[in-house]
Amino acid sequence: MGTHRTAVCRLRRPQQCSSPTCVLLASLLCLAAVRAASIGVGQAARQSRYFLLPGNPYNAKCLDGSPPAYQYRPGYGAASQSWHIHLPGGGWCSSLEKCLERANTKLGSTRGLQRLAGGVPTGQSASRSSSRASNDNGDPDAPPRGITSPDAATNPVFHNWHLVRPVYCDGGGFAGRAGYRAAANGSAGAGVHLDGWRVIHAILADLRANRGMTAPARIVLSGSSAGGQAVVTLCDLMPLLFPRALVKCIMDAGLFVDAEDRTNRRAFAAMVRATVGLHQMRINWQCSQAIPPPNQWRCFFPHQALRHVASPVLVVNSLFDYRALMLGNQLPANQARATACLQQIAREGGTDLLKSIKTQRWRQEPSALAEIQTGGVLTGGGYRGGDLGNRLTSTVEEGDSPGSGAGRRKEAKGAAGGSGEKGMRGTGGVEAAAARSVCDPAEHRAVLNVAWQMIQYTDAAHLELGPTVSTFVTPAIAHCALTSPKWDSLTDKGVTLRDAVTRWYRRPL
């Protein structure tokens, strides 16, 4: 390579350049050009690619029978033996009918990916720039952000690791083992494949056989939303398959709780039970031994299963995860109204909101709940806007909130009736707040109940989640914070999520 560089420089050196200084400068410029070209080649080699797995040894299939797939971005440099596997979200399907509907979407099929790639033959791949990689909303054209970003400034620990992102197409959190289920009406060819457990094994086997994941030194398994819940099931699988690797796991937006909804029912728990049964989901074995039958399905909930996970786990969650609250029916399934309701609670609770949740005054005294309906503070003493209210008002996860940018924040504020102390004081302030309320008392109570349970689970003093678990719980209204461009601004106790992940990862076992 050195001889080639010298020859190129000699060819390009101007005839009039004969002095030693001129020759040296020309050589340095030439070497810089060669280096820039080699960097370009290296960047091209590090593009993200989708790999489809038809004919895989596990006979694993997506819901509609299409082959499993994953996105892969090669690692480099000092991280050549470091692997980051990130499981995307997308909920679950809890009945055969819902799974059949899901099979016709990007959350149940990879046929759209094949069309995107122009049809990927067996053993071949589709190259896509890493700047246009998949994200947790299932959009294959969304850029990688947060912990999946290839930018060293944004993602100081994992930017140069091998990145693997399985396509979530099984509807059972990568844990289903039921196999093919025919439709109840007996229609020819109508059925779904509930193969999540086989899907993840097929992907890991292909990584070992074809991507060089034979002897990884480090593995971080992370996931967001439904993918975060799947981390609980799969975390201890990694050391079994790769016994020499240092394994750590991050569960983001996956701390789903078994709480009453705004109608005083537990609809989410009923959905979980149906999902576990339909897919015959693999759950944590130690947890299943600790809970007597027929309630082993409760091991789906992270607060039940995490205490049985041996590998280190970082739990990242928002106290006010609007997606989870909508899914649990604590808030209505209207995103604009749900986020506006949370912003209203944040402003009206002000700086005393977290303290109020912890002391449960809102549970013990009905008058306390009435206070927040009229602009008062949960702990009494009149309205105080405070920093917490301001942060909650302005922090909403990207891509999942009404509108975009400054207009999105303005829309969210307007829907909830302003922010901070301004406009809440003076003549008619209380009446005005009540008039523009977007939350009813049942929604307030349900939201605060979920937040209270989450604090119970994540408070270090309670150790509800087990000794191997660390937590980062932000009071911001957020969902999938780990892959958010704001992960360097979301905070818990004054520490940003990016810094918390860096410190946690570098902490010795």
Side-chain angles (χ1 to χ4, degrees):
M1 179 63 76
T3 303
H4 173 68
R5 287 178 178 173
T6 302
V8 171
C9 288
R10 285 176 179 170
L11 287 172
R12 293 183 176 180
R13 189 174 67 199
Q15 295 296 324
Q16 65 271 27
C17 184
S18 57
S19 68
T21 302
C22 184
V23 171
L24 177 60
L25 180 59
S27 299
L28 290 175
L29 290 173
C30 181
L31 290 174
V34 172
R35 177 171 174 77
S38 66
I39 291 174
V41 172
Q43 289 176 340
R46 293 194 293 273
Q47 284 184 336
S48 295
R49 295 176 181 269
Y50 288 103
F51 291 90
L52 299 175
L53 306 178
N56 62 83
Y58 290 87
N59 195 30
K61 295 179 174 67
C62 297
L63 286 173
D64 70 336
S66 58
Y70 65 91
Q71 177 200 16
Y72 170 64
R73 186 178 73 216
Y76 62 94
S80 60
Q81 293 301 320
S82 301
W83 293 75
H84 176 203
I85 302 173
H86 184 76
L87 306 175
W92 310 269
C93 53
S94 57
S95 68
L96 193 57
E97 293 73 23
K98 291 180 179 178
C99 289
L100 284 166
E101 293 175 3
R102 187 183 177 105
N104 295 316
T105 72
K106 60 190 175 185
L107 290 172
S109 175
T110 58
R111 298 191 192 282
L113 180 59
Q114 294 177 58
R115 290 194 298 270
L116 184 69
V120 184
T122 303
Q124 296 188 20
S125 64
S127 173
R128 293 181 61 79
S129 168
S130 61
S131 67
R132 305 293 290 172
S134 298
N135 199 43
D136 282 308
N137 59 6
D139 180 5
D141 286 323
R145 296 173 286 208
I147 200 171
T148 62
S149 171
D151 179 64
T154 300
N155 185 20
V157 176
F158 307 107
H159 67 278
N160 59 342
W161 286 38
H162 298 271
L163 175 65
V164 179
R165 188 177 182 278
V167 174
Y168 182 31
C169 65
D170 65 271
F174 299 101
R177 300 179 294 173
Y180 181 76
R181 293 286 303 275
N185 59 16
S187 301
V192 289
H193 298 264
L194 307 178
D195 285 348
W197 190 247
R198 298 183 186 92
V199 165
I200 195 64
H201 277 77
I203 291 172
L204 292 171
D206 194 74
L207 292 172
R208 186 194 296 268
N210 298 310
R211 307 294 152 242
M213 195 178 180
T214 53
R218 291 166 291 277
I219 298 174
V220 165
L221 175 68
S222 66
S224 296
S225 196
Q229 187 279 331
V231 165
V232 181
T233 303
L234 300 175
C235 186
D236 280 346
L237 175 66
M238 296 296 117
L240 295 177
L241 297 178
F242 306 98
R244 296 185 178 181
L246 170 65
V247 175
K248 292 189 173 185
C249 302
I250 309 176
M251 184 187 78
D252 171 36
L255 191 57
F256 298 96
V257 299
D258 180 9
E260 290 183 351
D261 61 20
R262 57 201 172 111
T263 64
N264 297 321
R265 295 184 294 181
R266 294 181 181 268
F268 183 71
M271 185 277 291
V272 166
R273 186 170 189 171
T275 301
V276 172
L278 174 69
H279 291 263
Q280 297 178 26
M281 291 176 68
R282 173 68 178 257
I283 57 177
N284 184 282
W285 186 84
Q286 289 84 356
C287 179
S288 69
Q289 298 303 300
I291 297 179
N295 293 318
Q296 285 91 347
W297 61 271
R298 293 188 178 278
C299 292
F300 172 99
F301 290 105
H303 71 271
Q304 295 283 0
L306 274 172
R307 68 190 71 177
H308 302 284
V309 175
S311 302
V313 180
L314 175 63
V315 172
V316 176
N317 228 94
S318 166
L319 282 178
F320 305 99
D321 184 333
Y322 59 95
R323 282 283 184 90
L325 291 166
M326 290 163 61
L327 186 62
N329 197 37
Q330 283 84 25
L331 290 175
N334 180 302
Q335 192 166 286
R337 186 172 181 275
T339 53
C341 175
L342 291 175
Q343 289 156 356
Q344 177 186 335
I345 292 175
R347 284 191 310 278
E348 293 170 354
T351 55
D352 291 325
L353 180 58
L354 297 183
K355 180 180 178 182
S356 301
I357 294 173
K358 289 182 178 181
T359 59
Q360 299 182 70
R361 181 179 172 225
W362 60 275
R363 292 168 65 91
Q364 298 162 4
E365 300 179 35
S367 60
L369 188 64
E371 283 183 43
I372 65 174
Q373 291 295 299
T374 56
V377 175
L378 291 172
T379 52
Y383 179 82
R384 292 196 299 272
D387 178 62
L388 176 63
N390 293 334
R391 282 187 288 136
L392 280 162
T393 300
S394 61
T395 305
V396 182
E397 196 266 336
E398 87 295 346
D400 288 323
S401 57
S404 61
R408 174 183 66 204
R409 289 189 290 272
K410 183 177 180 181
E411 175 185 348
K413 289 181 181 180
S419 63
E421 299 183 47
K422 198 170 184 179
M424 297 294 291
R425 292 183 175 179
T427 305
V430 169
E431 290 78 5
R436 59 176 174 258
S437 175
V438 295
C439 297
D440 62 38
E443 292 164 356
H444 272 99
R445 184 177 296 277
V447 168
L448 296 179
N449 185 44
V450 170
W452 171 73
Q453 287 198 37
M454 200 168 294
I455 288 175
Q456 289 288 100
Y457 297 150
T458 58
D459 193 322
H462 292 86
L463 294 177
E464 289 284 342
L465 301 181
T468 65
V469 177
S470 303
T471 61
F472 178 96
V473 181
T474 177
I477 300 172
H479 182 71
C480 298
L482 205 61
T483 54
S484 167
K486 297 179 181 179
W487 87 313
D488 59 350
S489 60
L490 296 172
T491 62
D492 178 21
K493 303 179 181 68
V495 179
T496 68
L497 176 55
R498 182 185 62 186
D499 291 345
V501 170
T502 300
R503 295 177 188 179
W504 167 81
Y505 176 73
R506 291 174 176 170
R507 184 190 309 163
L509 295 177

